[in-house]
Amino acid sequence: MDKNTFIIEGMSCAACSAAVERSVKKLEGVKSAEVNLTTKKLSVEWDASISTKDDIIASVTRSGYTAILPSTKKEKSKEADGIKTDTNSGQKIELIISWILSVLIMYTAMGQMFTPPLPLPSIFSPHTNPVNFALIQLLLTIPVLYTGRNFFLRGFKALSHFSPNMDSLIALGSSASFLYSLFLTFLVSSDAHYIHNLYYESAAVVLTFVMTGKYIESSSTNKTKSAITSLLSLQPPKATVLGSYDNPELKLPPKETDIDSITAGEVLLIKPGSIIPLDGIVLEGESDVNESMITGESMSVDKEAGSKLIGGTLNGSGVLIMRVTKTAQNSTLAKIISFIEEAQSKKAPISRFADTVSGIFVPIVLVIALVSALVWSISGQSFHFVLRILTSVLVIACPCALGLATPAAVMVGTGEGAKKGILIRSAEILEILQKVTTIVLDKTGTVTKGKPAVSSISLYNTDTTLIKTEEELIALASLVEKNSTHPLALAVMSQAQRRTISVESYTSLEEKNRAGRGITALLKNDTSGQTLSLSVGNALLMKDNNVPVQDAQTTIENLEGGGKTLIYVAVNSVLAGIIALEDELKETSISAVQSLKKMGLEIILLSGDNKRSAQSIGNKIGADSVIAEVLPEDKARVIEDLQKKGKTVLMAGDGINDSPALVQADIGAAMGKGSDTAIESGDIVLMHSSIDSIRDAILLSRSTLRVIKQNLFWAFIYNLVGLPLAAGVLFPLTGLLLNPMIAGFAMALSSISVVSNALRLSVVFRGMMKKETEKGH
């Protein structure tokens, strides 16, 4: 299956996006097609062996719109920035002109209704010069119609493709008012009474109100895209390449090079106060780096030789020389932007009903308008009364509010999350987050810092194993652990390096890695030629290899009871020693777990460590339960068992062996400083790598769903109340009839209110966070 995103031009409302989706979904081989009205993007997943990109573009064209496949980074950046031509200076000028002319039309047409009448030159007086009175309104209205020409061009084009949209309703309503008024203008010379039935002001003012609404809506919608705009601005266009760093004899001067041209392995100079252009490793220099824009961590991070750098972060006061490890296309920043774009391109399940309604909304409105007009006509009302009903119904209907209700809130929500270092993969994930009942925390690297260190070494059976010192024990253990990337193995290697122990007198003949247990190796002493079997791992490995550990039972219980993780070392099936390691809790783990429990969530600690050690950590953080001695391949099964009990599970891990469990969980939360595999597997990525971020993610989800529900409620209520009022249901009882101009104003206001409410999400989110923080105290 191929996946691609197309930019759709010409859409103005939810009916437009529904038409595009319907057209593309009819193609053979298309698995899914989703249009995001806010970003104006179509995301398609299809079988490329059946349909091509050109087929998709042609399908969109048949529906009355234009599809463009971004071919350059510049085009993609422009779209991601949310820079829309709808808010350019030219249209702003046209809007101002439209307002000036509409005010003049209103003054001319309605000024005479005041007591006393507003002054008007006698040449345009309806009493002495009725023809001129009609003509001046006609001449003022024509430029307004021109400024709103896009409503007519798009609206009638959509009608010609049998997929009417909001523009069609506006175009029909304004055209009806204008053409009726134009017809009466020709009759004024024979009967001046017709000037009282002119509707030029309705045609003009309705267009002006709707144009104003669209302008404000577009400007507000662009604000919802501020997260991607901000992220794109983090990467500088150029970087200083040190071409002679690895080959000094070349004597090449530092060179400013385009970011896109820089490849992995090149060496860059990072000056104080400048933005780090790409991901890499520090070769020389020391500095403090502000990573808050990526990780959400407010404290600067000290960097020295060997430290990792993230592109888009801000260098402090020092000079750094770095080697690039990832190109611009594969950088952490690029992944984050891709993550957010993917989330914003997908729809939340809660929006499906609104999408279904939007697809049939405009045809229903057209039917209501025609039926209303027919009923009032049959009841004996005048033509201008019927026209007023028809125009009001067409103009007040607003599929835009329905179409914007969910995506606008999702864009603000995912953007707000990105600011706090929380990356959410899709709108569906954002919705599921607020349903989570159980949080499973992997111990190492999630609850703890993931950097265990050797705290003590105990020797046993020295006469039998011939290992007399701690140095010898560490030397042998590090020899078989040297190829492992597990945190415990790295801790042993680090201890060996600190003790400057040489292991050259042994050669490894054979090694067998036992997942979740440890390593068994056959070693040869290069001096004596003797061979020995060495087992380095946990208690399960000792049990498998029939290594008795009873002599060390008291020590084992004391160490495990203190939360230590134990590595057993056995020589020829005899226990030679125990290496105890301690992994410190993260500073925020205890407080974060307590906050989550106060939110009514169940906390489970999951670990491959021994029961006593895991229980000790569980007790410290206040976990509701602890599941220990779980092999990597069994972690996913544990999650599945919890789900079978009806629990909605969020699994958080750093990805060393968490990927299957992250995939199995309803929500997989990958710690951003973990492995790339975990980030790919995670439904959300916590760049800050803190459990606090889980709380923030759930609160963000709850805030977003609250705003979405509010938006959908008001969008539906607006149309359910507005359409009957416009159809004149109250007229028989109260004599009140909705003016088309008021209908146009209400329609514009509905879309603005939905987007404005979405922008209010950040306030709702911060309010929820404050409330939960106060609970914690």
Side-chain angles (χ1 to χ4, degrees):
M1 285 287 179
D2 275 19
K3 289 183 180 180
N4 232 310
T5 301
F6 299 80
I7 300 164
I8 307 298
E9 294 182 346
M11 293 193 305
S12 61
C13 68
C16 305
S17 57
V20 172
E21 284 185 3
R22 280 198 307 270
S23 180
V24 175
K25 285 178 178 177
K26 289 177 182 176
L27 286 175
E28 288 188 42
V30 172
K31 180 181 178 183
S32 66
E34 291 186 348
V35 176
N36 187 307
L37 181 60
T38 312
T39 59
K40 303 291 192 290
K41 289 182 179 180
L42 163 68
S43 298
V44 187
E45 185 176 359
W46 81 101
D47 187 341
S49 64
I50 299 175
S51 296
T52 66
K53 293 176 184 177
D54 290 338
D55 292 331
I56 293 171
I57 292 172
S59 177
V60 173
T61 303
R62 285 194 297 273
S63 67
Y65 304 92
T66 304
I68 300 172
L69 188 65
S71 57
T72 66
K73 184 180 177 184
K74 186 175 181 180
E75 286 174 351
K76 290 179 182 178
S77 298
K78 182 179 179 182
E79 286 300 318
D81 274 340
I83 301 172
K84 302 295 180 184
T85 55
D86 293 343
T87 54
N88 65 23
S89 57
Q91 289 192 330
K92 187 175 183 179
I93 292 170
E94 287 188 343
L95 183 60
I96 293 171
I97 292 171
S98 181
W99 265 109
I100 293 172
L101 295 174
S102 294
V103 169
L104 290 174
I105 296 169
M106 288 280 290
Y107 182 91
T108 304
M110 306 183 74
Q112 302 304 299
M113 299 177 185
F114 289 90
T115 304
L118 299 178
L120 193 68
S122 59
I123 191 173
F124 300 127
S125 171
H127 307 295
T128 58
N129 291 290
V131 174
N132 289 351
F133 178 74
L135 287 175
I136 188 63
Q137 292 182 61
L138 170 62
L139 293 175
L140 289 172
T141 302
I142 290 173
V144 177
L145 296 181
Y146 177 75
T147 60
R149 61 194 177 278
N150 285 332
F151 291 110
F152 298 96
L153 294 173
R154 292 194 298 250
F156 289 122
K157 182 180 180 182
L159 274 174
S160 70
H161 287 88
F162 301 101
S163 56
N165 57 19
M166 184 209 72
D167 292 333
S168 304
L169 299 178
I170 300 300
L172 287 171
S174 296
S175 297
S177 296
F178 177 76
L179 292 174
Y180 176 64
S181 301
L182 182 63
F183 173 72
L184 292 183
T185 300
F186 287 103
L187 302 178
V188 168
S189 59
S190 59
D191 186 351
H193 178 73
Y194 285 120
I195 63 171
H196 299 297
N197 295 330
L198 297 178
Y199 276 98
Y200 285 123
E201 78 279 3
S202 291
V205 174
V206 163
L207 275 177
T208 302
F209 274 142
V210 177
M211 286 168 60
T212 304
K214 280 294 177 184
Y215 182 86
I216 297 172
E217 175 193 313
S218 180
S219 299
S220 299
T221 301
N222 285 340
K223 291 179 183 177
T224 69
K225 305 168 188 172
S226 60
I228 290 182
T229 305
S230 300
L231 287 169
L232 284 167
S233 67
L234 292 178
Q235 190 172 69
K238 295 181 180 292
T240 305
V241 177
L242 301 178
S244 298
Y245 185 83
D246 294 318
N247 299 292
E249 64 276 5
L250 295 177
K251 297 181 180 179
L252 297 173
K255 182 182 178 182
E256 290 288 312
T257 306
D258 288 339
I259 287 291
D260 291 334
S261 302
I262 296 174
T263 59
E266 294 194 67
V267 178
L268 308 180
L269 172 66
I270 312 297
K271 298 177 181 178
S274 64
I275 295 175
I276 295 168
L278 296 165
D279 294 1
I281 296 176
V282 177
L283 296 177
E284 294 181 26
E286 295 180 355
S287 187
D288 56 303
V289 175
N290 181 357
E291 297 181 345
S292 61
M293 60 288 294
I294 300 294
T295 65
E297 173 60 69
S298 58
M299 298 291 291
S300 294
V301 182
D302 293 331
K303 301 292 182 180
E304 58 185 12
S307 298
K308 291 183 179 180
L309 297 174
I310 304 174
T313 55
L314 182 64
N315 185 29
S317 56
V319 176
L320 297 174
I321 295 176
M322 64 169 283
R323 188 181 301 280
V324 176
T325 56
K326 293 180 181 177
T327 62
Q329 293 75 24
N330 301 316
S331 67
T332 299
L333 185 59
K335 284 184 179 180
I336 292 173
I337 292 172
S338 175
F339 217 98
I340 297 174
E341 286 183 326
E342 183 181 352
Q344 295 180 348
S345 69
K346 294 182 178 178
K347 294 182 178 180
I350 196 173
S351 70
R352 286 171 186 157
F353 180 66
D355 290 339
T356 302
V357 172
S358 298
I360 58 174
F361 184 82
V362 175
I364 289 174
V365 171
L366 288 172
V367 170
I368 292 173
L370 291 173
V371 170
S372 301
L374 183 62
V375 169
W376 285 114
S377 180
I378 293 173
S379 68
Q381 293 293 341
S382 64
F383 183 76
H384 74 270
F385 181 96
V386 173
L387 179 66
R388 186 172 181 176
I389 291 288
L390 181 73
T391 304
S392 295
V393 172
L394 291 174
V395 169
I396 201 169
C398 187
C400 287
L402 289 171
L404 291 170
T406 301
V410 168
M411 290 195 73
V412 176
T414 51
E416 197 67 30
K419 291 176 186 176
K420 293 190 70 66
I422 302 166
L423 307 181
I424 300 169
R425 190 174 294 279
S426 70
E428 184 175 5
I429 296 302
L430 189 61
E431 184 173 337
I432 296 172
L433 259 171
Q434 50 97 30
K435 300 177 183 176
V436 167
T437 59
T438 303
I439 295 177
V440 178
L441 302 172
D442 184 61
K443 181 174 77 73
T444 304
T446 302
V447 173
T448 65
K449 293 181 178 179
K451 295 180 180 179
V454 174
S455 59
S456 65
I457 299 172
S458 304
L459 298 177
Y460 297 93
N461 303 308
T462 55
D463 293 335
T464 306
T465 62
L466 301 179
I467 295 178
K468 306 292 185 183
T469 65
E470 293 180 1
E471 283 72 16
E472 288 180 305
L473 188 75
I474 287 290
L476 287 173
S478 65
L479 179 64
V480 297
E481 297 276 25
K482 66 179 183 296
N483 295 322
S484 175
T485 58
H486 194 283
L488 299 181
L490 295 177
V492 172
M493 292 296 298
S494 176
Q495 182 70 203
Q497 290 170 1
R498 277 200 296 272
R499 298 195 181 203
T500 61
I501 301 168
S502 173
V503 293
E504 295 175 358
S505 58
Y506 287 94
T507 299
S508 177
L509 299 177
E510 182 184 339
E511 289 184 11
K512 186 176 182 181
N513 195 329
R514 304 283 303 280
R517 285 169 164 77
I519 299 174
T520 299
L522 185 64
L523 302 181
K524 178 183 177 182
N525 188 306
D526 295 335
T527 303
S528 65
Q530 291 182 327
T531 59
L532 59 88
S533 173
L534 184 69
S535 299
V536 180
N538 58 22
L540 292 175
L541 183 66
M542 297 300 107
K543 185 178 180 180
D544 290 347
N545 291 347
N546 298 314
V547 178
V549 296
Q550 291 86 348
D551 293 346
Q553 198 59 42
T554 302
T555 301
I556 292 170
E557 290 177 4
N558 290 336
L559 290 172
E560 289 181 347
K564 304 292 192 300
T565 300
L566 306 185
I567 294 180
Y568 298 80
V569 180
V571 175
N572 296 328
S573 297
V574 177
L575 181 66
I578 296 175
I579 303 171
L581 300 99
E582 185 171 19
D583 191 2
E584 292 182 33
L585 287 175
K586 290 180 179 177
E587 290 80 0
T588 59
S589 289
I590 296 175
S591 61
V593 167
Q594 295 309 308
S595 294
L596 290 168
K597 290 179 70 175
K598 283 185 171 69
M599 290 168 64
L601 299 166
E602 179 188 17
I603 308 299
I604 297 175
L605 182 67
L606 184 65
S607 176
D609 212 341
N610 64 79
K611 291 181 180 179
R612 275 186 290 264
S613 177
Q615 189 63 56
S616 174
I617 299 296
N619 292 339
K620 287 179 182 178
I621 64 172
D624 293 301
S625 58
V626 176
I627 303 174
E629 297 181 0
V630 182
L631 297 176
E633 61 268 25
D634 292 333
K635 288 186 177 182
R637 179 186 51 76
V638 170
I639 302 298
E640 186 179 5
D641 290 342
L642 291 170
Q643 290 170 326
K644 287 178 179 177
K645 295 176 183 178
K647 298 177 180 181
T648 302
V649 181
L650 181 149
M651 166 73 189
D654 67 352
I656 301 302
N657 49 30
D658 302 322
S659 297
L662 292 176
V663 173
Q664 176 63 44
D666 297 283
I667 300 288
M671 296 298 174
K673 293 179 182 177
S675 69
D676 287 344
T677 305
I679 293 175
E680 292 299 324
S681 303
D683 298 307
I684 62 174
V685 176
L686 309 176
M687 299 301 293
H688 198 177
S689 290
S690 167
I691 303 174
D692 271 334
S693 296
I694 298 175
R695 180 202 66 175
D696 294 345
I698 293 172
L699 290 177
L700 179 63
S701 172
R702 291 178 181 180
S703 304
T704 304
L705 265 292
R706 176 184 293 182
V707 169
I708 288 174
K709 288 174 183 177
Q710 289 171 351
N711 280 353
L712 289 172
F713 173 79
W714 288 115
F716 277 110
I717 287 296
Y718 163 80
N719 284 293
L720 288 173
V721 173
L723 283 169
L725 285 177
V729 294
L730 293 181
F731 183 74
L733 300 174
T734 64
L736 295 177
L737 197 62
L738 194 66
N739 189 298
M741 291 184 289
I742 302 300
F745 174 75
M747 193 277 275
L749 189 62
S750 66
S751 293
I752 296 170
S753 63
V754 165
V755 177
S756 299
N757 192 45
L759 289 172
R760 194 179 61 86
L761 175 58
S762 57
V763 177
V764 177
F765 176 45
R766 285 195 292 270
M768 276 194 169
M769 288 183 60
K770 183 179 179 182
K771 186 177 179 180
E772 291 300 328
T773 302
E774 289 172 352
K775 276 187 187 177
H777 296 304

